[in-house]
Amino acid sequence: MNIPLLMPQLGNETTEAELTEWLKAVGDPVREGEQILIVTTTKLSMEIEAPATGVLKDIVVPEGDIAEIGATLAIIATE
């Protein structure tokens, strides 16, 4: 099963954030709750956690790109 990693709501007025650094690469195992991505807005830097345990199957939005709240950032394949 494929589980999307979505850009979370980061504040009332925030509509987008830059993907600063992926802490995992495609093919790496991930655990639910593990920090796998750092995003940055004009006001904060935040670590994003994996929503499920599995393997990071695909990175949809690469480092340096900007994504809107709710956008799919990556796909995690579960067993």
Side-chain angles (χ1 to χ4, degrees), residues 14-45:
T14 303
T15 59
E16 61 187 21
E18 178 181 351
L19 279 69
T20 308
E21 180 183 4
W22 280 101
L23 303 174
K24 295 286 186 171
V26 171
D28 286 351
V30 297
R31 293 176 48 200
E32 183 175 356
E34 179 180 16
Q35 298 165 344
I36 62 172
L37 170 66
I38 299 172
V39 298
T40 305
T41 70
T42 56
K43 296 182 180 183
L44 62 88
S45 184

Side-chain angles (χ1 to χ4, degrees), residues 55-71:
V55 174
L56 186 58
K57 179 179 179 180
D58 186 30
I59 292 177
V60 177
V61 182
E63 285 182 12
D65 280 9
I66 294 175
E68 294 185 8
I69 302 307

Side-chain angles (χ1 to χ4, degrees), residues 6-17 39 41 44 46 48 68-71 73:
L6 304 176
M7 177 69 82
Q9 182 66 47
L10 302 171
N12 292 337
E13 298 178 14
T14 303
T15 59
E16 61 187 21
V39 298
T41 70
L44 62 88
M46 180 178 186
I48 307 299
E68 294 185 8
I69 302 307
L73 305 177

